Each structure stands twice: as C-alpha cells, then as structure tokens.
Amino acid sequence: MKIKLILEVRVDIDPAHEEEFNRWYNTNHVPNIVKCPGFISGRRYRSVRGEPKFMALYEIESVDALKSPEYERERGWSEFEPFIKNLSWNLYTEIFEYHK
C-alpha cells in the first residue's frame, strides 16, 4: 500500500498580478503538476483572513513524486517570481482519518 502525503504550498502575490497569476495557476500550473508521476489531485484555496492569501494542496503517493524530472520541470513559476512573497511549503503524512 502506498503512503499518501499532502503537499501544502502557500503564497502571496502582488495584487497587480493576482488575476493573471490565479488564471495561470488554475488552468496551467495545477493541471500540469497533477499530471506528474505520483500526484493524485490538486486543490487551491483563498484565505478567509490572514496571510498568505493562497494555498494549494496536492495529494501525492509518496515523497518520490517530488523527485521526478516531470515535477522539477513543472514546479516553477518564473514569470511570477518577482511578484511572489511569503512563499512556504510543507509535506504532511496522514496520521488519522475519520468519516461521518
């Protein structure tokens, strides 16, 4: 059985570039990342309050998903890099699950 992990990426973007960044992130970045080996799904969220304003969560099969050449090629966002701040990411492994 493969271990499932959550990759969390949080970021703020200069408001002048927010619309273009969100369009690119939703239509290009997330779909291309999820096509990479070992990625299962991707979701994005906007903060209700506080910073960073945006968060993406990716479900991945194992840490090996972060080592593939495909992921290395797709993970960047060089055209937006000058406008990004508060970038952080973390990797989580599930320790408990409950369903109603």
Side-chain angles (χ1 to χ4, degrees):
M1 180 177 165
K2 293 182 180 179
I3 297 172
K4 291 183 184 171
L5 303 168
I6 297 293
L7 170 63
E8 171 207 44
V9 180
R10 299 182 331 143
V11 66
D12 280 323
I13 184 83
D14 181 305
H17 299 276
E18 189 174 305
E19 185 177 335
E20 179 184 9
F21 177 74
N22 285 330
R23 183 174 34 258
W24 168 82
Y25 210 114
N26 294 344
T27 60
N28 291 359
H29 191 63
V30 171
N32 288 339
I33 291 290
V34 172
K35 288 178 189 173
C36 294
F39 279 76
I40 299 166
S41 66
R43 294 178 179 84
R44 289 192 70 221
Y45 298 87
R46 181 186 319 266
S47 175
V48 174
R49 64 173 183 239
E51 294 180 343
K53 187 172 184 177
F54 298 103
M55 178 179 66
L57 295 177
Y58 299 94
E59 185 179 18
I60 62 176
E61 294 173 352
S62 76
V63 80
D64 291 337
L66 305 176
K67 299 174 185 174
S68 76
E70 295 90 344
Y71 175 69
E72 283 297 320
R73 185 177 55 248
E74 295 297 341
R75 67 179 237 164
W77 38 34
S78 59
E79 65 188 277
F80 295 102
E81 201 160 331
F83 314 112
I84 289 174
K85 58 183 179 176
N86 299 328
L87 174 63
S88 67
W89 69 274
N90 209 340
L91 195 58
Y92 298 88
T93 186
E94 185 176 287
I95 60 171
F96 179 73
E97 181 177 356
Y98 177 82
H99 292 277
K100 184 176 177 181

